């Protein structure tokens, strides 16, 4: 039963979902949209509190977007600059502590700018286009967004009239916007004509529709492309790309710095080659990736750039078939950048390897810490961790970390 009378609480910190946390009768109480130092009156309902009044504001800022609080895209716009950085750094510290890890060095959070996000996944529902609401399936019809790059936001208004229901994956590439529409039904001729006209009217680089396992291009004005380390990559229908060019650059700089002067490098979970081609400027690189489309895109890009002697590519499911110690013996260093679920199987195999230097990239501090524990238990030192705020104001945190074997 909820506590009928409000109680006075002081917010001590912010949790991993962006809720302020206060103590009451020995329990943590989660208070949405509160900041460290807030003194509030709140009704208690289980582990959550409903704020009735903010008695004394703490380390707060005025949110930059009118949708903050209802839109599920951002969680931390209400924090001042110092509280924001400390909050994200505390998430990393908590994940490491949970697995008993003490890095030799943790650098301060590297902040990135607003209006830089080059990829997003919008929901379209009966004239509303935007992100899911906080903790709900309701679609927030965006009138503004401080995260998106302006060309992506400009596409929202025309998308409202395109189709009653769909999911739109949009990516701002160097040749224009790449739009992939997940539709509830295979489009008929009239819909295909409408999609083609839409692509032309808004000068899309490419428009592809998908329905279940069926997929087909509607329009291809220009191949969607990005450039990494002066290598041009043609993007396949399905690919992973960092949230912004700024995030990509920050992560790449960190990887190159931490990898040092290695001359034989393995790049695991290489994707389309985000780190591969930057590493290839100073080393021979063996790129390993499980997705066939990404492997093809990476291979073709390496061939066009004349890098066959410096870049080799292998298709392999590293979760089901991780590289074993004997296979990694020829490398001076190794980079791995797994998906959100982490790289438990590969980290377990690497724990028994002789590779002197490993650099891990992660978008999930919790699974990173789990995998790091395996490497440390195998004799590696966790030398340095660099948190990078690739998803500004969100409950996400990227990081790059260095492991060494003496």
């Amino acid at each position: 039963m909820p506590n009928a009378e409000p109680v006075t609480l002081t917010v001590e910190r912010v949790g991993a979902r962006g809720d302020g946390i206060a103590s009451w009768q020995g329990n943590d109480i989660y208070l949405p949209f509160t900041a460290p130092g807030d003194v509030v009156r709140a009704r208690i309902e289980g582990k959550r509190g409903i704020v009735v009044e903010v008695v004394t504001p703490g380390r707060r800022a005025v949110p930059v977007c009118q949708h903050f609080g209802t839109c599920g895209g951002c969680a931390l716009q209400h924090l001042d600059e110092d509280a924001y950085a400390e909050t994200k750094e505390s998430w990393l510290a908590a994940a490491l502590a949970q697995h008993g890890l003490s890095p030799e060095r943790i650098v301060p959070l590297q902040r990135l700018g607003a209006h830089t996000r080059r990829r997003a996944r919008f929901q379209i529902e009966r004239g509303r286009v935007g992100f899911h609401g906080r903790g709900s399936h309701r679609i927030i019809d965006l009138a503004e967004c401080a995260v998106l790059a302006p060309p992506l936001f400009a596409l929202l208004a025309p998308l409202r009239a395109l189709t009653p229901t769909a999911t739109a994956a949009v990516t701002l590439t160097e040749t224009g916007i790449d739009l992939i529409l997940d539709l509830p039904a295979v489009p008929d001729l009239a819909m295909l004509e409408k999609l083609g006209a839409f692509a032309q009217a808004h000068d899309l680089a490419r428009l592809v529709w998908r329905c279940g396992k069926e997929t087909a291009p509607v329009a291809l004005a220009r191949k969607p492309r990005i450039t990494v380390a002066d290598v041009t990559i043609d993007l396949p229908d399905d690919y992973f790309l960092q949230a912004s060019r700024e995030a990509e650059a920050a992560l790449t700089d960190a990887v190159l710095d931490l990898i040092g002067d290695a001359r034989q490098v393995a790049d695991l979970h290489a994707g389309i080659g985000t780190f591969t081609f930057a590493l290839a400027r100073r080393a021979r690189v063996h790129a390993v990736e499980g997705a066939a489309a990404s492997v093809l895109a990476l291979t073709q890009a390496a061939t066009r750039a004349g890098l066959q002697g410096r870049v080799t590519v292998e298709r392999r499911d590293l979760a089901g078939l991780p590289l074993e110690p004997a296979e990694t013996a020829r490398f001076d260093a190794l980079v791995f950048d797994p998906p959100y679920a982490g790289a438990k199987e590969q980290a377990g195999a690497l724990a028994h390897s002789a590779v002197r230097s490993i650099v891990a990239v992660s978008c999930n501090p919790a699974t990173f810490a789990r995998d790091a524990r395996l490497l440390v238990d195998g004799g590696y030192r966790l030398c340095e961790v660099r948190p990078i705020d690739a998803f500004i104001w969100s409950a996400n945190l990227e990081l790059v970390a260095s492991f060494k074997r003496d």
Side-chain angles (χ1 to χ4, degrees):
M1 294 294 291
N3 188 62
E5 293 298 321
V7 297
T8 300
L9 301 171
T10 300
V11 177
E12 300 166 359
R13 63 192 189 280
V14 176
R17 295 185 61 187
D19 294 335
I21 302 175
S23 295
W24 185 68
Q25 295 185 351
N27 298 309
D28 284 342
I29 303 298
Y30 294 85
L31 301 157
F33 311 118
T34 56
D38 279 354
V39 178
V40 303
R41 296 281 290 168
R43 291 191 175 90
I44 308 299
E45 296 186 355
K47 292 185 177 182
R48 302 193 65 79
I50 300 174
V51 176
V52 176
E53 176 189 8
V54 178
V55 178
T56 305
R59 302 167 65 185
R60 287 180 164 269
V62 177
V64 299
C65 178
Q66 64 178 290
H67 299 295
F68 179 73
T70 57
C71 177
C74 290
L76 301 175
Q77 287 188 15
H78 62 302
L79 302 184
D80 69 25
E81 290 291 318
D82 290 342
Y84 179 93
E86 289 173 15
T87 292
K88 288 215 163 181
E89 290 167 355
S90 74
W91 296 346
L92 172 59
L96 295 172
Q98 184 175 4
H99 290 272
L101 296 168
S102 299
E104 296 172 10
R105 180 172 182 245
I106 302 178
V107 305
L109 178 72
Q110 182 175 348
R111 298 289 301 274
L112 301 178
H115 297 291
T116 58
R117 187 164 174 176
R118 66 179 172 183
R119 65 177 178 88
R121 192 171 180 85
F122 302 126
Q123 303 300 318
I124 304 172
E125 185 178 279
R126 295 186 293 278
R128 298 193 303 273
V129 181
F131 302 123
H132 281 118
R134 178 182 167 92
S136 77
H137 294 292
R138 176 171 171 262
I139 307 305
I140 304 301
D141 192 31
L142 295 179
E144 64 174 330
C145 182
V147 173
L148 295 173
L152 294 189
F153 181 77
L155 198 63
L156 290 181
L159 279 172
R160 290 185 178 93
L162 180 61
T163 178
T165 305
T167 298
V170 292
T171 303
L172 181 60
T173 78
E174 293 169 9
T175 55
I177 291 177
D178 186 19
L179 171 59
I180 301 176
L181 277 177
D182 285 292
L183 299 170
V186 173
D188 58 17
L189 179 59
M191 185 60 182
L192 289 174
E193 291 175 345
K194 186 176 183 180
L195 293 176
F198 181 91
Q200 184 175 13
H202 300 286
D203 193 28
L204 302 185
R206 176 174 62 184
L207 193 158
V208 174
W209 66 264
R210 292 188 300 211
C211 180
K213 294 183 178 180
E214 294 189 62
T215 182
V218 175
L220 180 62
R222 299 167 298 279
K223 291 182 178 180
R225 286 176 171 166
I226 64 164
T227 302
V228 174
D230 298 323
V231 175
T232 299
I233 305 169
D234 291 338
L235 299 174
D237 289 351
D238 188 19
Y239 55 91
F240 172 79
L241 199 61
Q242 293 295 338
S244 67
R245 290 184 63 88
E246 291 78 4
E248 181 182 278
L251 292 165
T252 301
D253 287 348
V255 167
L256 292 176
D257 188 33
L258 294 174
I259 210 72
D261 59 359
R263 291 294 176 260
Q264 297 284 344
V265 180
D267 182 12
L268 309 187
H269 303 281
I272 57 173
T274 300
F275 303 129
T276 301
F277 296 118
L279 290 164
R281 285 180 163 179
R282 61 172 72 172
R284 296 182 182 276
V285 184
H286 182 61
V288 184
E289 168 59 36
S294 294
V295 167
L296 179 60
L298 198 164
T299 302
Q300 290 176 339
T303 300
R304 284 195 304 269
L307 293 173
Q308 299 94 319
R310 297 188 67 81
V311 175
T312 55
V313 185
E314 176 185 356
R315 184 186 177 192
R316 182 165 176 163
D317 175 11
L318 291 168
L321 188 63
L323 263 66
E324 296 298 334
E327 297 176 278
T328 61
R330 64 188 175 101
F331 301 115
D332 305 321
L334 182 146
V335 177
F336 69 96
D337 180 17
Y340 193 79
K344 183 178 180 180
E345 293 79 11
Q346 185 61 76
L350 289 174
H352 303 288
S353 75
V355 179
R356 298 294 297 275
S357 176
I358 294 176
V359 173
V361 182
S362 175
C363 60
N364 184 347
T367 57
F368 163 77
R370 177 202 66 199
D371 299 343
R373 182 73 258 174
L374 296 174
L375 293 175
V376 170
D377 287 345
Y380 282 91
R381 292 184 292 114
L382 177 51
C383 300
E384 185 171 321
V385 183
R386 301 185 183 185
I388 298 173
D389 193 24
F391 292 89
I392 186 171
W393 295 311
S394 78
N396 295 88
L397 180 64
E398 295 261 358
L399 63 89
V400 182
S402 170
F403 298 84
K404 301 287 186 183
R405 188 184 288 282
D406 296 324

